[in-house]
């Protein structure tokens, strides 16, 4: 590695750590002011998510949709098109798989039913992502604006489908009919009978089987990004569209295709969450998972292989907030503020860039001095 | 006379990628002076001025204005301290009037509302004072380029600028407009405004500047009185053509025409014919050089031939097939390779690895695939070979290109374009702003490939040395047309070439017969 490259990598790590330390320090200071037992609260926030198998399981369960949504956003982010429709797709695809499975009932066996449902979800995502993408391509509409507006439309569309086409009138709250059994994905290790031993511990985590899908998706997407020509094209187009054009790639076509694929992945995210965690579709508004996905993609620097880490981190601080909320005297909103600070400091690329530039400057200066010395030595000789 | 307005002392600027743009530069400007700041592209003129205008912060060095040391934090601060800048690309609001543009930021107010009449009066007053023939009520969108520039100057003057930076102001002007601008600059000068005139047009600098400071590769080559200099000695300072480049080459054995251009016309968005009925051939085995002052249609010609830009009429054939309406991919597949003028924009993706940049034009081809995936081994082997062949100094093929020096970045570009298997090379400014060693390697490779591999090459370059030495046939472009053609480039003198480039002389069609 060159000097500059080394400095950049080191500073990246230092920056993240300093960001964390500052965020927790700020939190601690405020907590001392407003809480009766600040140390307890901080310990709960930091260690709470690890305090029981159930909570560890919750972190993992929450990280699953974050991961798949993060992958979806990686596609948008890689080609620099902030198509935010995954937020809506997550809800609509959950709605669509519920609708299809309710209509089909138990007619199909699970091994056929589940792939069919995931296909429906992916298609839902592709169709929805197509709308802002084509609007931008044909009419030069701003993809961010179109996708945000589309999210509102999708939210109401999904609610309408639920209320008018699959509402369960026998329950006292608003929700769809129950998913047929062959469409529900069991929790991992739920079949384990032993009360003790390794498997029993795994069972106690209560992790949804979406974990397998998430891992599968990470591997596939990472391969697409780094091992296929489409992934290479996508990254080239995202980094420098003019250069991509000059070497004969169609920047427009490639970023269009990337958005569609991203939409498809978001569809899979919604279906995974729905079939793995719920028995009915009950959402009446979009769920923020899409936006969280963007956050994860930013934290992971649009590298699919790092997405699970970003997702786990986000899930960890979310669960920490829940723990504090239920066990301490601090309102959940306060924890949201701390989350905000942490994410802000980590995502802010220019944070501490002054220090980085100074280090690079010093290194360049040193090289320059060496160069001069050499020159002088040469002229002397 | 020694009334010093500005002193920039020992200025050093290192960009965050480690690139040293200015090294120990000194610049002193007097009152009542038009001070030339000259140097090749990439010599560091613009960087130096950006620091004066608060757009960049120097790493080292001091800036004194009127003898007082100043830290200039941002452009607003610079304006406050009496520095005004007229950018090469105008920063105007086309839908507003001249007066509104000029008073932007210091709007006159009456009863809490914008006082348009006062703005017009103020603007007109200052315009008349300096003999600017401009209507303060006119909409900027309706003005000519020359008039827009005046609005820019007015913007600086109304805010009390006593140092006016003009960044290549004549690049966009017609000769008449240029003359007019000069007269106004003289009025400004006599009125106590110091003008820093950035240019690489030597005759203009000699004509209007009292003193001139020369930059070369980021370093200061000193300041001189223009009356002590000739254009020749100034150009020597700028370009440092002490080492005259010589490339040994035999006469080309000409093959069939690879590229045929007939009556090519390209019209830009302002309706101007930027390429105006161009016709010439490039044959296999020869290097055709195009010389000319920048902005005479060379860039547009490259855009047309590379497929990045369209053309209005005429015909361009590559290996017998028309390129009209074809995509870059299709033209590349017909046999075109392209070294782009600005390597950071069209030549590389800075954040991507050396490896990806080298194979960017071909990784999607079948030969680099293994089933669904990329054939990583084959690509690695190829890239390692090219890094060795082209002597790219790097730590690994996975290092991002932006961390390399300019010369090594250009080596990445040529490693790709020289090996693409094309029989037509479109080389635009192939050695701009890079070290001598790399430049020589690139030039020699171009000539060698023409001789040994029957490559047809179109070399578009602002570096006279380069076009004169590398080319076989030499064409001069002026105002979108061929102004002159010479059968043997290395027998043309720079003086003669300069006269054709600047329009002092022009060849007739009969003189160029058989040379196109």
């Amino acid at each position: 590695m060159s000097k500059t490259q080394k400095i950049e990598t080191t500073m990246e790590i230092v920056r993240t750590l300093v960001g964390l330390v500052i965020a927790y320090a700020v939190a601690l200071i405020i907590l001392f002011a407003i809480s009766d037992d600040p140390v307890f609260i901080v310990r709960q926030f930091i260690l709470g998510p690890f305090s029981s198998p159930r909570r560890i399981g919750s972190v993992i369960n929450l990280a699953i949709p974050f991961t798949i949504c993060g992958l979806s956003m990686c596609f948008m982010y890689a080609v620099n098109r902030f198509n935010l429709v995954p937020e809506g797709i997550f809800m609509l695809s959950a709605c669509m798989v519920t609708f299809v499975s309710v209509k089909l009932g138990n007619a199909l066996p699970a091994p056929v039913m589940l792939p069919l449902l995931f296909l429906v979800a992916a298609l839902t995502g592709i169709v929805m992502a197509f709308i802002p993408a084509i609007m931008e391509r044909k009419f030069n509409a701003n993809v961010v604006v179109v996708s945000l507006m589309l999210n509102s439309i999708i939210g109401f569309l999904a609610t309408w489908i639920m209320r008018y086409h699959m509402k369960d009138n026998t329950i006292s709250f608003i929700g769809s009919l129950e998913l047929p059994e062959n469409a529900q994905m069991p929790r991992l290790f739920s079949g384990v009978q032993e009360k003790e031993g390794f498997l029993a511990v795994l069972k106690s985590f209560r992790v949804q089987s979406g974990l397998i899908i998430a891992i599968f998706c990470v591997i596939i997407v990472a391969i697409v990004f780094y091992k296929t020509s489409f992934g290479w094209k996508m990254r080239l187009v995202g980094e420098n569209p003019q250069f991509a054009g000059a070497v004969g790639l169609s920047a427009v076509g490639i970023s269009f295709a990337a958005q569609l694929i991203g939409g498809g992945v978001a569809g899979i995210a919604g279906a995974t969450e729905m079939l793995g965690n719920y028995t009915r579709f009950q959402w009446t508004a979009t769920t923020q998972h899409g936006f969280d996905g963007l956050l994860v993609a930013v934290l992971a620097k649009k590298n699919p292989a790092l997405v699970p880490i970003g997702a786990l981190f986000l899930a960890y601080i979310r669960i920490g907030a829940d723990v504090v909320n239920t066990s301490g005297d601090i309102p959940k909103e306060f924890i949201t503020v701390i989350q905000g600070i942490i994410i802000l400091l980590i995502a802010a690329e220019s944070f501490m860039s002054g220090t980085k530039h100074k280090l690079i400057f010093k290194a360049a200066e040193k090289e320059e001095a060496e160069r001069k010395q050499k020159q002088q030595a040469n002229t002397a000789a | 006379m020694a009334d010093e307005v500005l002193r920039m002392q020992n200025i050093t600027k290192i960009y965050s990628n480690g690139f040293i743009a200015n090294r120990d530069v000194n610049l002193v400007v007097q009152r009542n002076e038009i001070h030339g700041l000259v140097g090749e592209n990439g010599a560091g003129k613009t960087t130096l001025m950006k620091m004066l205008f608060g757009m960049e912060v120097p790493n080292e060095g001091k800036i004194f204005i009127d003898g007082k040391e100043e830290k200039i934090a941002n452009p607003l601060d610079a304006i406050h301290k009496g520095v005004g800048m007229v950018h090469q690309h105008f920063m105007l609001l086309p839908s507003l009037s001249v007066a509104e543009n000029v008073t932007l930021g210091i709007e006159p107010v009456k009863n809490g509302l914008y006082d348009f009449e006062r703005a017009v009066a103020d603007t007109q007053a200052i315009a008349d004072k300096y003999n600017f023939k401009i209507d303060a009520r006119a909409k900027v969108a309706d003005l000519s380029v020359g008039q827009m520039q005046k609005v820019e100057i007015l913007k600086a003057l109304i805010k009390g600028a006593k140092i006016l930076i003009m960044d290549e102001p004549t690049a966009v002007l017609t000769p008449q407009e240029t003359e007019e601008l000069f007269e106004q600059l003289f009025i400004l000068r006599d009125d106590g405004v110091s003008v820093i005139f950035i240019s690489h047009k030597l005759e203009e600098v000699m004509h209007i500047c009292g003193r001139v400071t020369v930059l070369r590769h980021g370093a200061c080559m000193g300041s001189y009185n223009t009356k002590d200099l000739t254009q020749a000695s100034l150009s020597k300072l700028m370009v440092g053509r002490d080492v005259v480049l010589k490339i040994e080459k035999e006469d080309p054995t000409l093959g069939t025409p690879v590229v045929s251009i007939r009556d090519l016309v390209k019209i830009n968005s302002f309706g101007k014919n930027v390429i105006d009925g161009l016709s010439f051939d490039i044959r296999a085995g020869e290097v055709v050089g195009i010389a000319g002052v920048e902005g005479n249609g060379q860039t547009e010609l490259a855009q047309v031939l590379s497929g990045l830009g369209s053309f209005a009429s005429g015909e361009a054939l590559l290996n017998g097939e028309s390129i009209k309406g074809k995509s870059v991919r299709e033209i590349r597949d017909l046999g075109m390779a392209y070294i782009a003028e600005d390597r950071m924009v069209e030549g590389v993706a800075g954040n991507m690895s050396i490896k990806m940049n080298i194979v960017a034009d071909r990784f999607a081809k079948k030969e680099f695939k293994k089933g669904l995936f990329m054939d990583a081994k084959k690509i690695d082997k190829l890239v390692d070979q090219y890094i060795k062949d082209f002597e790219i100094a790097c730590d690994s093929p996975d290092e991002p290109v932006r961390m390399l020096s300019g010369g090594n970045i250009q080596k990445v570009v040529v490693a790709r374009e020289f090996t693409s298997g094309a029989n037509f090379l479109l080389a635009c400014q192939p050695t701009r702003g890079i070290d001598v060693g790399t430049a020589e390697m690139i030039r020699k490779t171009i000539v060698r490939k023409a001789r040994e591999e029957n490559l047809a090459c179109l070399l578009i370059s602002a570096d006279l040395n380069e076009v004169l030495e590398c080319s076989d046939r030499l064409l001069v472009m002026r105002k979108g047309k061929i102004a002159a053609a010479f059968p043997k480039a290395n027998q043309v003198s720079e003086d003669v070439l300069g006269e054709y480039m600047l329009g002092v002389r022009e060849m007739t069609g009969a003189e160029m017969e058989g040379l196109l």
Side-chain angles (χ1 to χ4, degrees):
Chain A
M1 268 200 282
S2 73
K3 265 184 204 158
T4 313
Q5 207 174 357
K6 248 186 228 161
I7 295 171
E8 285 198 356
T9 321
T10 319
M11 281 307 296
E12 194 65 40
I13 299 165
V14 173
R15 184 173 70 85
T16 310
L17 293 178
V18 173
L20 278 176
V21 171
I22 293 177
Y24 282 119
V26 170
L28 200 62
I29 292 166
I30 304 174
L31 278 171
F32 269 108
I34 63 169
S35 171
D36 296 334
D37 193 355
V39 177
F40 172 75
I41 299 288
V42 172
R43 196 184 310 133
Q44 284 293 301
F45 184 54
I46 297 174
L47 299 176
F50 301 122
S51 59
S52 75
R54 184 81 187 259
R55 282 181 180 161
I56 297 175
S58 304
V59 171
I60 297 171
N61 277 338
L62 192 55
I64 289 166
F66 287 171
T67 301
I68 311 179
C69 285
L71 294 173
S72 157
M73 279 300 183
C74 276
F75 281 97
M76 313 298 187
Y77 192 13
V79 293
N80 265 325
R81 290 291 189 289
F82 287 90
N83 189 336
L84 299 172
V85 75
E87 170 66 17
I89 293 172
F90 191 85
M91 178 183 183
L92 186 63
S93 65
C95 173
M96 289 308 291
V97 293
T98 311
F99 179 74
V100 171
S101 58
V102 164
K103 293 295 165 195
L104 286 176
N106 274 318
L108 296 168
V112 183
M113 184 71 162
L114 287 174
L116 175 73
L117 292 179
F118 277 101
L119 187 69
V120 168
L123 282 176
T124 307
I126 291 170
V127 170
M128 287 299 137
F130 175 79
I131 297 171
I134 196 75
M135 295 273 282
E136 188 196 33
R137 190 171 171 174
K138 293 285 176 211
F139 310 120
N140 203 17
N142 185 317
V143 77
V144 176
V145 174
V146 174
S147 59
L148 282 177
M149 301 311 288
L150 186 60
N151 282 340
S152 312
I153 298 171
I154 290 175
F156 286 107
L157 174 67
T159 314
W160 175 77
I161 294 173
M162 174 180 74
R163 288 193 178 205
Y164 290 91
H165 294 281
M166 55 188 191
K167 188 172 174 222
D168 189 344
N169 290 318
T170 64
I171 52 174
S172 58
F173 50 91
I174 297 170
S176 73
L177 293 162
E178 212 164 341
L179 287 174
E181 249 165 60
N182 60 0
Q184 293 184 25
M185 296 195 298
R187 292 196 181 280
L188 290 179
F189 306 106
S190 57
V192 173
Q193 297 300 325
E194 291 94 337
K195 292 268 186 273
E196 276 173 60
F198 185 59
L199 287 176
V201 173
L202 287 180
K203 184 187 176 183
S204 65
F205 284 120
R206 298 175 56 88
V207 173
Q208 52 160 320
S209 46
L211 179 64
I212 297 165
I213 294 169
I215 293 172
F216 187 69
C217 285
V218 170
I219 295 170
I220 298 274
V221 173
I223 288 175
V224 168
F225 264 59
Y226 293 101
K227 301 284 174 201
T228 69
S229 68
F230 180 73
W232 285 37
K233 286 179 190 170
M234 226 168 46
R235 289 189 292 140
L236 267 181
V237 167
E239 284 296 342
N240 186 348
Q242 282 149 297
F243 169 58
V247 291
L249 298 174
S250 158
V252 178
I254 288 161
S255 56
F256 185 76
Q259 291 178 58
L260 297 195
I261 298 174
V265 175
I268 290 172
T272 308
E273 181 73 358
M274 182 69 217
L275 304 177
N277 285 334
Y278 301 92
T279 54
R280 299 172 191 279
F281 180 79
Q282 281 172 260
W283 297 328
T284 51
T286 59
T287 53
Q288 297 294 317
H289 281 95
F291 295 139
D292 287 336
L294 178 59
L295 199 60
V296 168
V298 171
L299 289 177
K301 306 226 174 286
K302 59 189 166 182
N303 179 346
L306 295 178
V307 159
I309 298 172
L312 279 169
F313 176 72
L314 187 63
Y316 157 73
I317 53 177
R318 288 275 158 86
I319 298 295
D322 280 346
V323 174
V324 170
N325 193 39
T326 49
S327 59
D329 58 349
I330 294 297
K332 193 172 181 172
E333 286 71 20
F334 173 71
I335 301 298
T336 317
V337 173
I338 300 181
Q339 279 180 27
I341 298 173
I342 296 175
I343 292 163
L344 201 78
L345 287 170
I346 292 179
E349 286 184 22
S350 300
F351 172 55
M352 289 182 73
S353 67
T355 318
K356 185 173 91 181
H357 288 180
K358 258 184 218 153
L359 287 174
I360 293 174
F361 172 65
K362 267 191 193 153
E365 212 178 28
K366 215 174 123 193
E367 261 172 51
E368 173 73 6
E370 278 165 20
R371 198 185 61 86
K372 262 190 192 156
Q373 237 171 18
K374 235 192 238 165
Q375 220 171 31
Q376 272 167 1
N378 279 347
T379 40
Chain B
M1 168 77 191
D3 193 2
E4 188 176 298
V5 175
L6 171 74
R7 172 181 288 270
M8 295 179 83
Q9 199 171 314
N10 302 104
I11 302 284
T12 294
K13 172 71 189 174
I14 303 178
Y15 280 113
S16 55
N17 60 1
F19 176 71
I20 302 168
N22 281 154
R23 180 186 303 156
D24 243 351
V25 173
N26 291 302
L27 174 69
V28 178
V29 180
Q30 314 285 348
R31 193 176 306 285
N32 299 97
E33 176 184 53
I34 299 178
H35 193 101
L37 183 62
V38 299
E40 281 185 290
N41 284 297
K45 295 169 297 195
T46 306
T47 303
L48 187 66
M49 288 302 108
K50 275 185 174 169
M51 286 186 281
L52 179 56
F53 198 55
M55 292 159 82
E56 298 279 355
V57 181
N59 297 103
E60 274 175 18
K62 291 175 181 157
I63 299 175
F64 298 89
I65 294 176
D66 282 334
K68 216 172 86 208
E69 183 173 352
E70 301 276 10
K71 288 255 177 289
I72 300 169
N74 52 49
L76 218 57
D77 193 25
I79 290 169
H80 213 72
K81 286 170 177 151
V83 180
M85 182 156 181
V86 175
H87 297 268
Q88 213 171 344
H89 303 284
F90 301 145
M91 309 202 170
L92 296 171
L93 303 168
S95 58
L96 296 187
S97 71
V98 170
E100 283 162 326
N101 269 285
V102 169
T103 55
L104 201 63
I106 48 161
E107 299 85 354
V109 174
K110 195 163 89 183
N111 305 330
L113 293 172
Y114 180 62
D115 186 353
F116 181 68
E117 290 308 323
R118 260 271 311 283
V120 169
D122 289 355
T123 307
Q124 202 68 56
I126 201 157
D128 292 344
K129 181 178 170 193
Y130 294 110
N131 203 12
F132 285 16
K133 295 179 198 73
I134 201 160
D135 176 11
R137 287 173 196 275
K139 230 169 88 174
V140 165
D142 300 333
L143 300 181
S144 72
V145 176
Q147 286 172 312
M148 287 189 200
Q149 189 172 54
K150 277 172 206 154
V151 179
E152 283 279 6
I153 299 174
L154 285 175
K155 260 169 68 182
L157 292 177
I158 205 163
K159 285 165 194 147
K162 51 193 184 208
I163 301 169
L164 186 65
I165 306 167
M166 308 274 308
D167 191 358
E168 301 197 19
T170 59
V172 290
L173 300 182
T174 63
Q176 294 84 357
E177 285 173 330
T178 304
E179 234 3 90
E180 205 180 321
L181 172 71
F182 288 168
E183 272 164 34
Q184 278 144 3
L185 290 184
F186 290 141
I187 300 178
L188 283 174
R189 178 192 65 188
D190 297 338
D191 201 56
V193 178
S194 305
V195 179
I196 300 177
F197 183 79
I198 304 178
S199 179
H200 45 216
K201 295 187 186 169
L202 302 184
E203 69 278 16
E204 292 178 356
V205 173
M206 297 299 283
H207 176 46
I208 69 164
C209 297
R211 279 179 72 74
V212 57
T213 297
V214 185
L215 295 184
R216 191 204 289 176
H217 304 314
C220 188
M221 304 301 293
S223 298
Y224 305 87
N225 288 322
T226 43
K227 61 174 189 290
D228 302 336
L229 292 170
T230 60
Q231 282 197 31
S233 58
L234 183 55
S235 97
K236 207 168 164 184
L237 282 169
M238 267 168 73
V239 192
R241 244 173 237 153
D242 313 314
V243 196
V244 171
L245 168 87
K246 277 278 172 225
I247 294 179
E248 299 295 330
K249 57 173 197 264
E250 326 83 83
D251 287 342
T253 36
L254 294 181
T256 49
V258 174
V259 176
S260 294
I261 297 168
R262 290 288 169 269
D263 305 316
L264 191 71
V265 175
K266 184 180 168 68
I267 301 171
N268 72 3
S269 52
F270 302 115
K272 190 179 158 198
N273 285 17
V274 278
I275 299 178
D276 198 4
L278 213 55
S279 301
F280 64 93
D281 283 347
I282 307 166
R283 292 167 176 276
E286 73 168 340
V287 180
V288 174
I290 291 204
V293 176
E294 273 181 71
N296 276 289
Q298 301 96 315
T299 308
E300 288 80 5
L301 177 63
Q303 277 181 342
V304 167
L305 292 178
S306 64
L308 289 165
S310 57
F311 54 96
S313 66
E315 190 55 279
L317 303 177
L318 173 56
N319 288 320
E321 281 201 49
S322 169
I323 62 167
K324 184 150 195 141
K326 286 208 165 59
S327 70
V328 178
R329 180 75 269 151
E330 288 166 318
I331 297 174
R332 275 184 178 266
D333 288 342
L334 281 179
M336 187 266 308
Y338 174 43
I339 299 176
E341 184 176 312
D342 187 341
R343 59 180 158 273
M344 296 317 288
V345 176
E346 287 180 347
V348 293
N351 279 329
M352 296 301 226
S353 64
I354 294 169
K355 187 202 299 181
M356 273 189 80
N357 274 289
I358 288 183
V359 295
D361 66 325
R362 66 196 78 157
F363 67 79
K365 288 188 177 154
K366 252 208 183 107
E367 50 183 300
F368 292 106
K369 276 190 193 164
K370 224 180 188 174
L372 279 174
F373 306 123
M374 310 290 304
D375 188 343
K377 259 189 207 152
K378 190 167 177 186
I379 289 176
D380 284 346
K381 215 177 125 197
L382 191 78
V383 168
D384 285 340
Q385 186 62 45
Y386 290 160
I387 287 179
K388 229 166 76 198
D389 288 352
F390 289 89
E391 294 172 349
I392 300 169
C394 62
D395 297 303
S396 93
D398 296 314
E399 195 179 346
V401 159
R402 75 186 146 85
M403 291 187 178
L404 303 178
S405 69
N408 277 301
I409 294 177
Q410 193 69 348
K411 281 182 191 169
V412 171
V413 175
V414 297
R416 179 180 65 235
E417 302 301 339
F418 280 155
T419 58
S420 70
N423 68 343
F424 168 53
L425 174 67
L426 174 58
C428 301
Q429 322 289 358
T431 63
R432 171 173 279 180
I434 60 176
D435 60 286
V436 183
T438 308
E440 195 182 332
M441 180 278 282
I442 292 173
R443 289 166 185 158
K444 283 191 171 154
T445 314
I446 289 176
V447 173
R448 185 176 51 78
K449 283 183 77 79
R451 293 297 178 272
E452 290 172 11
E453 295 165 34
N454 267 327
L455 179 81
C457 176
L458 182 66
L459 173 67
I460 300 177
S461 178
D463 183 341
L464 293 189
N465 221 346
E466 180 167 283
V467 276
L468 290 177
E469 279 307 315
C470 291
S471 319
D472 299 312
R473 208 147 43 95
L474 181 65
L475 307 177
V476 178
M477 254 183 107
R478 185 170 154 77
K479 294 187 177 167
K481 291 188 174 96
I482 303 287
F486 304 96
K488 284 205 167 137
N490 51 11
Q491 289 171 9
V492 181
S493 80
E494 277 184 36
D495 304 341
V496 174
L497 187 60
E499 286 178 9
Y500 284 109
M501 279 167 61
L502 297 169
V504 181
R505 286 207 267 169
E506 201 166 326
M507 279 191 187
T508 61
E511 277 181 281
M512 294 190 278
E513 188 72 49
L515 292 173
L516 299 176

